[in-house]
Amino acid sequence: MSLAADVLSGNRRALARALSVVEGKLDGCFEIMNTLYPHTGNAHIIGVTGAPGTGKSSIVNQLALALRKRGKTVGVVAVDPTSPFTGGAILGDRIRMRDLSGDAGVFIRSMATRGSLGGLAQATANVVRVLDAARFDVILIETVGAGQSEVDIARHALSVLVVEAPGLGDDVQAIKAGILEIADVLVVNKSDDPRASNTVRSLRAMLDLGNLRSVRQMVDHHGRLMEAIPAARELTAEADGWQVPIQQTVATNGTGIDDLVSLLDTHRVYLISSGELERRMQILAASELDTLLRESLIERLLNGVDQVQLAELVERVVTRDLAPQAAVDLLLENRL
Amino acid sequence: MSLAADVLSGNRRALARALSVVEGKLDGCFEIMNTLYPHTGNAHIIGVTGAPGTGKSSIVNQLALALRKRGKTVGVVAVDPTSPFTGGAILGDRIRMRDLSGDAGVFIRSMATRGSLGGLAQATANVVRVLDAARFDVILIETVGAGQSEVDIARHALSVLVVEAPGLGDDVQAIKAGILEIADVLVVNKSDDPRASNTVRSLRAMLDLGNLRSVRQMVDHHGRLMEAIPAARELTAEADGWQVPIQQTVATNGTGIDDLVSLLDTHRVYLISSGELERRMQILAASELDTLLRESLIERLLNGVDQVQLAELVERVVTRDLAPQAAVDLLLENRL
């Protein structure tokens, strides 16, 4: 039996091995993904992002526990290198995480963050897809809320939860990083801090001002392939039927977590009934095709080019003998 | 006379127009870049990055003033949307910035941050290059220190300055974002804060532990083209001759700025004498060729594909009829 078939039959050891293969893009990766792909699309994939110090790992932990209590199986994918799930934990976090260990309904996977971040987004997508095919009901992706890589990874989530916390030196940290724009649900964690009401007020003001869009701003990132999708073209124009809610939590004692789970359920229902789910999946597919296409095209081109000639070309650019675009034209026309 | 020639002759209006063309990738962009490229490579390009609240805009401001006093011309490129240079200023910053306005030896350009971040890195590279060709002695690139996009942009700098500040809710904020790894010089700003010595101590401890590498970790980001460059392959093995210094500053009153300018001079001398400059330029060239090549390849391929067929292909991926890699194979084999 193939590794992919073992994954589909619920074999945990096969799951772990398959995840290593797709994460490392090892031999057999494409075969596994091609076999598993038809079995994906069922999990509720939830991205949890936020600046360091907001307590998003604790939120992930509490969400997993709450979902387990409701009988759901949960996969956790930690992309944040500072997450306790990836080993970068402070003691308190590690102790709390024991709540989840030993539960067969939970599978925790942390991504190796070495290598390119573009590759990381792709590897994360594949890991999530394998967990999806392995029939986890909910998959939580934890990323540190900082920059494009997180946006890329969040794109693979159907619901995005952005975690804020009071007292991080700024009223609302994530605004500056452009992370709030991708939020479907905002969480103000550490709400037992007296400054929490300020944080909530700041966020509410921004939502009211219409500065934020719950619709994800992913159109121009992969321009060319997106043009083929009418839904994506209409993205900026579309009136959005979802009001981004702000949920206050205290993850350390579980306050607000049940409400948060309910909000995520509501968001999933909204996604399906509004057609937004279909639209997000189209955009996701186009974006992924674009990434894979670029990868494959450059592989094919460079396979036909001599390494020595390539080094000479780079040197000509370094010495200003040739402008970068002129060098690329030479490569494309095969006139090296 | 062409726009590029006008830029080379020192025409300020032409410079502004050329910058708009290359930033927006408007018609004539390639021609301008090809004409200007042989005239680049002379400026000391300095990246200044750090989390919001560290005062890096003030550092940029003070550096520009100090460099002007030494008779150098200075270009400032602000990529951080929260920078006062891009208009996202608090009042104090705006007032301080007046020090620079009206000085013909300073040119300030802020990047529009809409659109894809990959495109932003490329646009920033081109803007920097135009300023380089326009003979600015030093070019300061200010980016918000968060994630891969900043690393991509910093890669275009020859010296990277990472700004920290005490009391941002964490001893050392940037560590978590992986930004410290790209630092050539560390700055602890707001050093009049009593907690600054703690921040310095934390940074020093990390440097001593060898957790950080001053050599930039840029090898595996653009794997294939890098393989052609022996220097890049040796990157991880090479013993690095530069000890990352920690400079304390109080940007609001200029404390430590002269020392910082001296450190940056020292770093430039080190880059040249050690051969590191040549190596960084090779890596930069390879990385840029890679980016441009991917762009051009996908353009060419998709130009030959019918939009309706492309939309159908995306739909087949969405409905799980076809796995993403299988769809890409169809596109590549022209079997749509």
Side-chain angles (χ1 to χ4, degrees):
Chain A
M1 219 157 94
S2 77
L3 192 54
D6 285 340
V7 169
L8 291 173
S9 74
N11 182 328
R12 277 308 172 92
R13 198 166 295 192
L15 173 59
R17 214 160 64 237
L19 289 173
S20 297
V21 171
V22 302
E23 188 185 345
K25 275 202 152 193
L26 308 180
D27 281 350
C29 171
F30 287 158
E31 195 200 317
I32 290 172
M33 291 314 302
N34 285 347
T35 310
L36 294 185
Y37 190 70
H39 302 275
T40 63
N42 305 307
H44 187 190
I45 302 167
I46 300 170
V48 181
T49 190
T54 52
K56 63 184 175 315
S57 299
S58 303
I59 293 278
V60 168
N61 192 51
Q62 291 283 2
L63 278 177
L65 288 170
L67 289 161
R68 288 300 295 135
K69 274 189 203 134
R70 297 183 182 206
K72 311 258 186 173
T73 54
V74 182
V76 175
V77 181
V79 188
D80 178 0
T82 68
S83 163
F85 296 105
T86 58
I90 54 169
L91 190 63
D93 284 319
R94 277 195 200 285
I95 289 167
R96 257 175 277 129
M97 278 185 57
R98 285 199 197 139
D99 306 339
L100 292 174
S101 66
D103 177 352
V106 175
F107 194 97
I108 299 172
R109 182 80 184 187
S110 57
M111 304 293 295
T113 51
R114 308 247 64 176
S116 79
L117 276 163
L120 182 60
Q122 189 57 46
T124 304
N126 284 344
V127 161
V128 167
R129 212 160 266 159
V130 170
L131 290 171
D132 188 351
R135 293 200 194 86
F136 285 93
D137 298 316
V138 180
I139 298 166
L140 301 166
I141 314 175
E142 181 191 356
T143 68
V144 61
Q148 186 59 32
S149 55
E150 274 61 45
V151 176
D152 283 343
I153 292 164
R155 184 185 295 151
H156 292 279
L158 297 178
S159 304
V160 175
L161 202 153
V162 173
V163 184
E164 293 284 345
L168 288 176
D170 238 283
D171 260 7
V172 180
Q173 282 267 324
I175 294 169
K176 305 204 170 186
I179 290 297
L180 280 184
E181 290 179 352
I182 61 169
D184 295 306
V185 176
L186 291 174
V187 176
V188 176
N189 192 32
K190 304 186 180 179
S191 277
D192 48 350
D193 186 311
R195 294 167 294 182
S197 54
N198 272 332
T199 307
V200 171
R201 199 158 36 237
S202 303
L203 290 170
R204 184 92 58 198
M206 294 181 68
L207 290 173
D208 290 344
L209 277 169
N211 281 340
L212 301 178
R213 300 171 48 80
S214 66
V215 177
R216 298 184 221 186
Q217 314 268 335
M218 47 170 81
V219 181
D220 41 7
H221 187 60
H222 288 301
R224 279 309 305 273
L225 249 154
M226 286 298 168
E227 286 167 21
I229 308 166
R233 275 204 303 270
E234 290 154 19
L235 190 60
T236 45
E238 195 203 326
D240 191 38
W242 177 255
Q243 296 289 326
V244 176
I246 303 175
Q247 176 65 46
Q248 292 190 252
T249 58
V250 184
T252 45
N253 65 20
T255 302
I257 297 296
D258 277 331
D259 290 338
L260 186 54
V261 172
S262 300
L263 276 174
L264 289 166
D265 278 345
T266 308
H267 187 246
R268 181 165 166 79
V269 170
Y270 156 76
L271 286 175
I272 296 166
S273 62
S274 66
E276 175 69 16
L277 186 71
E278 170 74 8
R279 204 167 63 89
R280 288 194 180 183
M281 282 190 165
Q282 283 178 340
I283 293 169
L284 179 57
S287 146
E288 182 164 12
L289 286 185
D290 189 287
T291 304
L292 290 173
L293 199 53
R294 283 166 200 259
E295 236 16 84
S296 301
L297 282 167
I298 200 155
E299 274 299 307
R300 288 210 312 186
L301 184 92
L302 292 183
N303 280 341
V305 178
D306 184 68
Q307 291 287 321
V308 175
Q309 286 182 310
L310 211 49
E312 279 168 10
L313 193 71
V314 170
E315 197 51 36
R316 288 184 65 191
V317 172
V318 170
T319 58
R320 264 69 187 170
D321 176 37
L322 204 61
Q325 186 64 49
V328 164
D329 290 343
L330 282 183
L331 268 175
L332 288 174
E333 307 314 326
N334 221 338
R335 290 188 285 116
L336 272 193
Chain B
M1 218 157 98
S2 76
L3 193 54
D6 285 341
V7 169
L8 291 173
S9 75
N11 182 328
R12 277 307 172 89
R13 199 164 296 191
L15 174 58
R17 214 160 65 237
L19 289 173
S20 297
V21 171
V22 302
E23 189 186 344
K25 273 201 155 197
L26 308 181
D27 281 350
C29 171
F30 289 158
E31 195 200 316
I32 291 172
M33 290 315 301
N34 285 347
T35 309
L36 294 184
Y37 190 71
H39 303 275
T40 62
N42 304 308
H44 187 191
I45 302 166
I46 300 171
V48 182
T49 190
T54 52
K56 63 185 175 313
S57 300
S58 303
I59 293 277
V60 168
N61 192 52
Q62 291 283 2
L63 278 177
L65 287 170
L67 288 161
R68 288 300 296 134
K69 275 190 204 136
R70 297 183 181 205
K72 312 256 186 176
T73 54
V74 182
V76 175
V77 182
V79 189
D80 179 0
T82 68
S83 163
F85 296 105
T86 59
I90 53 169
L91 190 62
D93 285 319
R94 277 194 201 283
I95 289 167
R96 258 174 276 130
M97 277 185 58
R98 285 198 198 141
D99 306 339
L100 292 175
S101 66
D103 177 351
V106 175
F107 194 97
I108 299 172
R109 182 81 185 186
S110 57
M111 304 292 295
T113 51
R114 307 248 64 176
S116 79
L117 275 162
L120 182 60
Q122 188 57 46
T124 304
N126 284 344
V127 162
V128 167
R129 212 161 265 159
V130 171
L131 290 170
D132 188 350
R135 291 201 195 87
F136 286 94
D137 298 316
V138 179
I139 298 166
L140 302 167
I141 314 174
E142 181 192 356
T143 67
V144 62
Q148 185 60 30
S149 54
E150 273 61 45
V151 177
D152 283 343
I153 291 164
R155 184 186 294 152
H156 293 279
L158 298 177
S159 303
V160 175
L161 205 153
V162 173
V163 184
E164 293 284 346
L168 286 177
D170 239 284
D171 259 8
V172 179
Q173 282 268 325
I175 294 169
K176 305 204 168 185
I179 290 298
L180 280 183
E181 290 178 352
I182 61 169
D184 295 307
V185 176
L186 291 175
V187 176
V188 176
N189 192 32
K190 304 187 181 178
S191 277
D192 48 351
D193 186 311
R195 293 166 295 183
S197 54
N198 271 332
T199 307
V200 172
R201 199 157 37 236
S202 302
L203 289 170
R204 184 93 59 198
M206 293 180 70
L207 290 172
D208 289 345
L209 278 168
N211 281 340
L212 301 179
R213 301 171 49 79
S214 66
V215 178
R216 299 184 220 186
Q217 315 267 337
M218 46 171 82
V219 180
D220 40 7
H221 186 60
H222 288 301
R224 278 309 304 275
L225 249 154
M226 286 298 168
E227 287 167 21
I229 308 166
R233 276 204 302 271
E234 290 154 19
L235 190 60
T236 46
E238 195 203 325
D240 190 40
W242 177 255
Q243 295 290 326
V244 176
I246 303 175
Q247 176 65 47
Q248 291 189 252
T249 58
V250 184
T252 46
N253 65 22
T255 302
I257 296 297
D258 277 331
D259 290 340
L260 186 55
V261 172
S262 300
L263 276 175
L264 288 166
D265 278 345
T266 308
H267 186 246
R268 180 165 166 80
V269 171
Y270 156 77
L271 286 175
I272 296 166
S273 63
S274 65
E276 175 69 15
L277 185 72
E278 170 74 9
R279 204 165 62 90
R280 288 193 180 184
M281 284 191 164
Q282 283 178 340
I283 292 169
L284 179 57
S287 145
E288 182 163 12
L289 286 186
D290 189 288
T291 304
L292 289 173
L293 200 53
R294 282 166 202 260
E295 238 12 87
S296 302
L297 281 168
I298 200 156
E299 273 301 304
R300 288 210 311 185
L301 184 92
L302 293 184
N303 279 341
V305 178
D306 185 69
Q307 292 286 320
V308 175
Q309 286 182 309
L310 211 49
E312 281 168 10
L313 193 71
V314 170
E315 197 51 36
R316 288 183 66 190
V317 172
V318 170
T319 57
R320 264 70 186 169
D321 177 37
L322 204 60
Q325 186 63 50
V328 165
D329 290 342
L330 283 183
L331 268 174
L332 288 173
E333 307 313 326
N334 220 339
R335 290 188 286 115
L336 273 192

